[in-house]
Every structure is written in structure tokens, then in C-alpha cells.
Amino acid sequence: MEELRTLIKRKKVLIAAHRGVAGANIPCNTIPAFEIALQSGADILEMDLFKTLDGEIFIFHTGKEPFLLDRHIDLTRMTAEKVRKLRLVNVDFWETGQGLNTFDEVLEQFTGCYILNLDRCFGFLEEVVQKVERHGMKEQIFLKNAPNDEALKKVEELVFASEDAPIVQDSYIDDMHRKGKILRGNPPMGSYG
């Protein structure tokens, strides 16, 4: 796997695929969605994690059960055995053959290949780190965590409302790069076309 700083130097901008690329019968946050994202040019795979009642870690954005499983359930209150039996639905709410992937399945699929951005794992971060280390993937992982007031205060100056803001100008970005900083940004809500 190409080292992150080398990759950034070569490409300048890295593309993060939020929950992979979903479409037709390929639900988001699944290995097939991540594979299509990579084929489409993504450099980073963003995914959401949750832990079952009996402690197994799966890939899924909890709270989206009605849209992705066509059920009003709480996956965090289910056992891994029950979660394994579920099938995701497509955009027309037709059941697909795709189940939820475990975190271990995803790690095994992408070991040594791509950067993974792990989200929504703040309640069981230590277990996530142990799995990442067991797979030898520390250099491939970005971890996102729930913000607290102190963290939000530190990044308050980095929030911007327009492309004219000082922090999105080349001079600011170049200055951060000279300081050895790697920058990551999300487009504003509603800007997805």
C-alpha cells in the first residue's frame, strides 16, 4: 500500500467514498459498495460501525434501519446471529441478497490495500483498535469520533460557509502542508447535486 503522505503528494486530493457507492441492488456500507467505490476512483472508504448486543462489530449506520432494512428495529439491541439473518433492501425497498458485513470481513477484504475511515465507533473504540492492530492495518485507518465541546472549539475556525473563506484558499492549504498537516474536508450538507 502506498504511504498516505506519498499518495497525497502524487494525487494532491484524495477522494473519500462515504459509505461506498450504492446503487441499483447494491446497498451502502457493504463490501460490494466499497468495491464499486474503488473502481470509481475512491482513495478512502468511509464506513459506519456498530456493536451488537452480544458484542460483535458490524458495518451499518444505525438509525437508518427503516431505509436500509425496511424495518423499525434497533440493531444494537439484537444478537449477531439475528443480524446475520437480515438482508438489506435496495432503493425501491426490494430485499437484496446482501446481508450486513462484519467489521472483520471488511478488514480482511481490504488489508494492505486502501485507507479506511471508520465512523460511529466511539462507544467501543478500544475494541476497534484491537481488531485493526490484529489485522496489521494501523497505517490504513482514520478514526472519527463524537465531538465534545473542547474538540469543537478547536476546529471552530475551520468551519466555512463559502469557497471565499480564508481556510479554503491555496495559501492556507499550502501553509498547512508546509507544517506537515494533512487536511480532510466534507462538502456542506445539500451540496451533493
Side-chain angles (χ1 to χ4, degrees):
M1 185 180 127
E2 192 171 357
E3 200 268 331
L4 179 61
R5 291 190 188 278
T6 306
L7 186 61
I8 291 171
K9 265 187 184 174
R10 182 172 61 80
K11 294 187 84 175
K12 304 292 184 218
V13 173
L14 302 182
I15 305 296
H18 189 246
R19 301 181 199 158
V21 172
N25 279 338
I26 301 171
C28 66
N29 262 325
T30 61
I31 289 174
F34 299 141
E35 293 284 1
I36 290 189
L38 295 171
Q39 291 172 18
S40 300
D43 303 294
I44 301 169
L45 300 173
E46 187 274 348
M47 60 196 66
D48 304 292
L49 285 67
F50 80 94
K51 192 165 120 176
T52 61
L53 191 60
D54 53 349
E56 189 157 355
I57 300 173
F58 283 84
I59 306 297
F60 188 88
H61 189 295
T62 53
K64 302 291 185 186
E65 292 90 342
F67 309 105
L68 299 171
L69 292 164
D70 197 21
R71 297 179 182 174
H72 291 275
I73 57 176
D74 180 353
L75 292 173
T76 65
R77 296 179 180 261
M78 297 175 71
T79 64
E81 179 183 356
K82 288 186 178 183
V83 169
R84 278 188 180 81
K85 293 178 182 175
L86 296 171
R87 293 294 168 258
L88 296 157
V89 298
N90 66 18
V91 295
D92 292 326
F93 291 97
W94 288 93
E95 188 175 288
T96 69
Q98 179 66 49
L100 281 71
N101 292 115
T102 66
F103 184 43
D104 280 318
E105 290 169 338
V106 170
L107 291 177
E108 288 165 16
Q109 181 73 19
F110 300 109
T111 298
C113 303
Y114 302 96
I115 299 166
L116 308 182
N117 180 2
L118 310 178
D119 195 6
R120 303 177 60 86
C121 53
F122 39 88
F124 47 95
L125 198 53
E126 189 173 308
E127 294 163 76
V128 168
V129 170
Q130 288 172 358
K131 286 182 179 289
V132 167
E133 287 176 344
R134 190 170 53 246
H135 284 84
M137 296 176 70
K138 285 183 359 182
E139 299 300 318
Q140 288 180 247
I141 302 297
F142 286 151
L143 287 172
K144 292 191 323 193
N145 208 338
N148 56 34
D149 289 341
E150 182 182 340
L152 289 173
K153 192 69 175 161
K154 287 180 182 178
V155 299
E156 186 174 31
E157 67 187 62
L158 301 178
V159 177
F160 61 94
S162 78
E163 293 178 12
D164 297 331
I167 66 166
V168 292
Q169 302 309 310
D170 288 340
S171 59
Y172 178 87
I173 294 168
D174 291 342
D175 185 47
M176 292 295 104
H177 289 170
R178 278 191 296 282
K179 292 177 179 177
K181 306 288 184 189
I182 295 173
L183 307 175
R184 182 187 186 283
N186 282 342
M189 294 300 289
S191 68
Y192 297 104

